Amino acid sequence: MSLHVAAITFDCSNALTLAGFWSAAVGRPVDDQGEMAASEFFARIPGDGSDPLMMFIQVPEEKIAKNRVHLDMNASDRAAEVERLVGLGATVIHEKQEYGMEWTTLADPEGNEFCVATH
C-alpha cells in the first residue's frame, strides 16, 4: 500500500505558541529556517523518521467541541510524563481504566485532547 501518514495538523489561534508546547512534549525542534520559518500563522515540527511531521496552522475560529480524532501517546512512566506535560501547559481532563488499559486524557494549551498510556 502506498498510503502513509505524512503529517498531523493542528488548527490553532497561535501556531508558534502551540508548536512550542508540542516541540517540548515530543522532544523535537520547531523548524525555524527558510521560507517556512515558524510564525503565529504557521509552524511545523519535522518528522524524525518514525514520527510524522506536525503542522500548526492559525485559523480564526476557536475549538468548541471534543476532538473526533486525537493522538494516543505511549510512555514508559505515565505518571511522570503526565506531570511533565502539565508543567509544559497541558491540563488533565480525566484518568481512565477500561478494556484492560489505563490512560490519562489531557488537553494541550489550546484545548486539543490527547491521551498518555503505557502500552
Side-chain angles (χ1 to χ4, degrees):
M1 180 166 29
S2 63
L3 187 64
H4 69 278
V5 176
I8 299 167
T9 304
F10 293 78
D11 290 347
C12 53
S13 62
N14 187 306
L16 187 57
T17 300
L18 193 57
F21 168 82
W22 281 102
S23 171
V26 299
R28 298 189 338 239
V30 175
D31 185 0
D32 62 359
Q33 303 295 310
E35 187 177 311
M36 300 297 281
S39 72
E40 66 184 275
F41 305 106
F42 177 82
R44 64 185 180 173
I45 299 172
D48 69 357
S50 62
D51 289 324
L53 168 76
M54 298 176 85
M55 293 193 301
F56 306 86
I57 301 171
Q58 185 184 68
V59 297
E61 63 275 359
E62 292 185 16
K63 180 182 175 298
I64 57 171
K66 182 181 183 304
N67 295 17
R68 294 296 299 255
V69 174
H70 65 269
L71 299 179
D72 280 341
M73 313 296 278
N74 188 42
S76 58
D77 185 342
R78 181 172 55 95
E81 198 60 34
V82 167
E83 183 178 334
R84 184 181 75 84
L85 292 164
V86 168
L88 294 172
T91 303
V92 173
I93 296 174
H94 54 73
E95 303 274 336
K96 284 282 194 174
Q97 185 175 15
E98 292 180 330
Y99 314 113
M101 295 182 60
E102 293 181 40
W103 68 92
T104 304
T105 301
L106 300 103
D108 71 17
E110 290 211 11
N112 300 299
E113 294 96 359
F114 64 101
C115 296
V116 177
T118 302
H119 295 164

